[in-house]
Amino acid sequence: MNGSNAIDITSLLIASSLVLVTLFFSYWQKLKLEKETIISVIRSIIQLIAVGYVLEYVFGFKSPVFTTLLLIFMIFNAAYNAAKRGKAIKNGLTISFLSIAAGTVVTLAVLVFSKTIQYEPYQIIPVSGMIISNAMVALGLCYKQIASDFKNKREEVETKLSLGADILPSSIEIIRDSIKTGMLPTIDSAKTLGIVSLPGMMTGLILAGTSPMEAIKYQIMVTFMLLSTTSISSFIACYMSYRGFFNGRKQLILTK
Amino acid sequence: MSLLEFQNVSFDNEGKTILKNISVSIKQGDFISIVGPSGSGKSTFLKLCNNLISPAAGSIMYKGKNINEYNPTELRKSIAYCFQTPCLFGDMVIENIKFPFSIRNAKLDQNRASELFSLFHMSSDYLDKGVRNLSGGEKQRIALIRNLLFKPEALLLDEITSALDTDNTQIVENVIASLNKEGVTILWITHNREQSRKYANKLLTIETGEIKSLEVIK
């Protein structure tokens, strides 16, 4: 970025002495974290260098098809991780993929059509990364909540079923509760933006020399897109996954 | 024709046999008391009737047709099941009273609700009460009212008077007996020996998952 405070290698090397502080504390307090710390630092350096090269390469491609394929790859990975969090969810991978994809597509479409961002890898990939990872975390929370609610509110669900209610009215409170659980962290962090923390993207822009007034515009965009993706993904995931807790005879499946 | 008929029905849960080879025929208008020790499979028997669970083997017939041929939600509306521990949902009593109407896309029939509240010697003011402040007995009567807003063909009762005092037990017994006189089939699990013989025309004894006897007492 023009006028940015570019970091040279010497400065980075001097900054790396900060790691010695961690190592010192670990040694002094017998935390036995020296090995872990060194491994984590080396790993982070290697991973970031690799991702730097990959992004340089990827951003060189201007093909929308390539960008789309990369998006699908990112969504699949996020869906895989979210599904791992929700082992009790039937068809967790498919549900996660569809809900994250829907949230991402809608949000990106609005951003692209409003010309807030362009459908170019260097804009789409970082923005999607934020959206997708946020949706992934939200789905993990939704799944945990829905599974525990079906376990803890079994009597309530069975009472409603016994009265002749279909599976949706019998589960609606659980679905709402789970969607809320998925969305609340994003809503809460939006509430405290600028008061408790200056979020990563804004901090990055300011460090790179962007004026704070310009940086907040981006942050506002990020806040909007995270809210929209989380709500869309949580909504779709919960409405798709509750069915897996019932069988074809509209009976709650017995779980331990 | 039988209203409900069990044909060699068995039910397992997590590898444990709860009911084995149950065959019994329940006629329209029967009042059957179900007795037997705790854990003998009585509640499972009622849950099978309400189709909240399905048998592992055998078949259950309702009005001559296999229960699986019915839409489960419609079937459950005809065969009402009242749980041993009443579960009132939401915050207010009225939510529970509105529920049977909302699942039928109908508006709350205030007159029907008031009629039932007075049958159970309760004031309609209960509608505006919170469910958390109610006693066990009040909850059970409200759960019964919730089951009776639309008159079922059969009513399955799982030890519903165990949390009620003598007066309230009498009130509930009277309502159930009059429903039976109106043609509603009653299946009532009870541990009370006197209660089991007072109104019933048949006494079904279930022990260790099997039918020990079906005695015609009236």
Side-chain angles (χ1 to χ4, degrees):
Chain A
M1 204 162 281
N2 292 338
S4 65
N5 312 316
I7 302 177
D8 58 37
I9 299 295
T10 324
S11 316
L12 257 186
L13 281 174
I14 295 169
S16 71
S17 63
L18 291 172
V19 178
L20 294 176
V21 176
T22 315
L23 291 175
F24 168 72
F25 271 106
S26 177
Y27 179 74
W28 181 39
Q29 291 294 307
K30 299 188 172 62
L31 303 177
K32 293 183 179 163
L33 285 173
E34 297 92 307
K35 198 177 149 193
E36 289 257 358
T37 309
I38 292 169
I39 291 175
S40 71
V41 168
I42 294 172
R43 269 191 67 162
S44 66
I45 293 170
I46 295 172
Q47 283 165 199
L48 286 173
I49 290 173
V51 93
Y53 274 111
V54 170
L55 289 178
E56 286 261 6
Y57 181 72
V58 165
F59 290 173
F61 275 96
K62 298 282 181 194
S63 149
V65 177
F66 181 75
T67 311
T68 310
L69 285 176
L70 213 62
L71 257 182
I72 294 172
F73 175 75
M74 288 165 74
I75 294 171
F76 179 81
N77 269 299
Y80 181 77
N81 267 299
K84 271 208 300 196
R85 288 258 167 268
K87 285 196 176 118
I89 309 297
K90 221 171 151 188
N91 303 321
L93 181 60
T94 316
I95 292 173
S96 307
F97 184 82
L98 292 176
S99 47
I100 297 177
T104 309
V105 167
V106 172
T107 305
L108 285 183
V110 172
L111 293 179
V112 171
F113 284 116
S114 64
K115 299 202 166 112
T116 314
I117 61 168
Q118 292 170 316
Y119 201 74
E120 299 271 357
Y122 81 96
Q123 293 203 340
I124 288 290
I125 302 303
V127 166
S128 306
M130 278 192 271
I131 295 178
I132 293 168
S133 65
N134 216 62
M136 176 184 78
V137 173
L139 290 202
L141 293 172
C142 287
Y143 292 158
K144 206 171 162 221
Q145 189 66 40
I146 206 165
S148 87
D149 269 7
F150 268 112
K151 204 171 173 184
N152 299 331
K153 296 184 178 173
R154 186 183 179 91
E155 277 180 21
E156 182 177 327
V157 176
E158 285 206 317
T159 300
K160 289 178 176 174
L161 288 174
S162 77
L163 288 164
D166 211 327
I167 58 171
L168 180 60
S170 302
S171 326
I172 192 74
E173 302 299 332
I174 293 179
I175 297 171
R176 284 183 189 144
D177 203 21
S178 308
I179 297 175
K180 255 195 220 168
T181 306
M183 288 177 62
L184 274 179
T186 308
I187 294 176
D188 281 346
S189 73
K191 272 191 226 161
T192 56
L193 275 182
I195 301 172
V196 177
S197 65
L198 287 184
M201 187 191 204
M202 195 169 146
T203 313
L205 286 170
I206 293 172
L207 280 177
T210 310
S211 79
M213 285 317 286
E214 198 58 31
I216 61 157
K217 283 188 200 161
Y218 278 94
Q219 193 52 55
I220 290 170
M221 174 193 85
V222 170
T223 308
F224 288 164
M225 70 192 199
L226 293 186
L227 281 171
S228 108
T229 316
T230 327
S231 52
I232 295 168
S233 304
S234 305
F235 173 85
I236 296 177
C238 291
Y239 269 91
M240 283 180 87
S241 57
Y242 85 94
R243 290 174 179 275
F245 290 88
F246 298 91
N247 64 18
R249 293 297 299 162
K250 301 184 180 182
Q251 296 162 343
L252 198 52
I253 295 171
L254 296 168
T255 46
K256 278 182 191 173
Chain B
M1 187 174 61
S2 301
L3 182 76
L4 267 165
E5 191 177 359
F6 277 55
Q7 299 171 342
N8 305 311
V9 168
S10 297
F11 181 80
D12 307 321
N13 185 20
E14 291 170 10
K16 201 179 151 209
T17 305
I18 310 289
L19 287 176
K20 48 190 171 209
N21 234 8
I22 298 272
S23 292
V24 66
S25 173
I26 297 149
K27 300 222 160 11
Q28 176 94 49
D30 266 348
F31 192 131
I32 302 183
S33 279
I34 303 169
V35 294
S38 297
S40 56
K42 304 185 299 292
S43 298
T44 303
F45 178 76
L46 290 195
K47 282 188 176 182
L48 283 164
C49 295
N50 184 250
N51 202 224
L52 272 180
I53 48 177
S54 290
S59 27
I60 303 169
M61 312 298 281
Y62 178 63
K63 293 182 174 173
K65 235 167 70 173
N66 194 306
I67 211 168
N68 289 332
E69 290 175 39
Y70 291 91
N71 177 342
T73 55
E74 293 312 311
L75 187 83
R76 288 173 195 144
K77 282 174 190 153
S78 318
I79 306 174
Y81 177 35
C82 213
F83 289 71
Q84 182 177 5
T85 315
C87 171
L88 299 187
F89 35 77
D91 296 320
M92 310 298 288
V93 171
I94 192 156
E95 292 171 56
N96 290 271
I97 303 303
K98 274 183 176 170
F99 191 78
F101 292 97
S102 71
I103 59 173
R104 289 169 175 85
N105 296 318
K107 270 194 168 179
L108 169 69
D109 181 346
Q110 201 87 40
N111 293 337
R112 175 68 181 149
S114 304
E115 186 190 331
L116 282 165
F117 271 100
S118 71
L119 262 183
F120 283 95
H121 295 215
M122 293 172 97
S123 145
S124 303
D125 294 346
Y126 269 95
L127 283 174
D128 299 319
K129 287 196 178 179
V131 294
R132 278 170 196 87
N133 305 322
L134 301 174
S135 70
E138 287 169 323
K139 281 183 185 168
Q140 190 58 279
R141 281 179 288 159
I142 290 166
L144 262 169
I145 292 172
R146 188 176 61 189
N147 273 123
L148 297 175
L149 287 162
F150 292 86
K151 202 159 97 182
E153 293 227 32
L155 183 59
L156 317 171
L157 306 166
D158 196 344
E159 286 188 57
I160 52 157
T161 52
S162 54
L164 301 183
D165 58 27
T166 326
D167 289 345
N168 283 313
T169 301
Q170 189 59 57
I171 293 166
V172 169
E173 284 177 355
N174 290 341
V175 175
I176 305 300
S178 65
L179 276 169
N180 181 243
K181 283 197 183 101
E182 291 166 25
V184 178
T185 307
I186 309 287
L187 296 179
W188 192 342
I189 296 178
T190 175
H191 277 299
N192 182 331
R193 282 182 69 84
E194 191 200 340
Q195 190 178 52
S196 67
R197 291 181 172 266
K198 201 167 166 188
Y199 304 97
N201 65 331
K202 288 174 187 166
L203 187 68
L204 178 70
T205 310
I206 300 179
E207 277 178 25
T208 58
E210 287 175 293
I211 290 185
K212 188 90 176 161
S213 62
L214 177 63
E215 196 184 332
V216 178
I217 50 179
K218 268 181 207 155

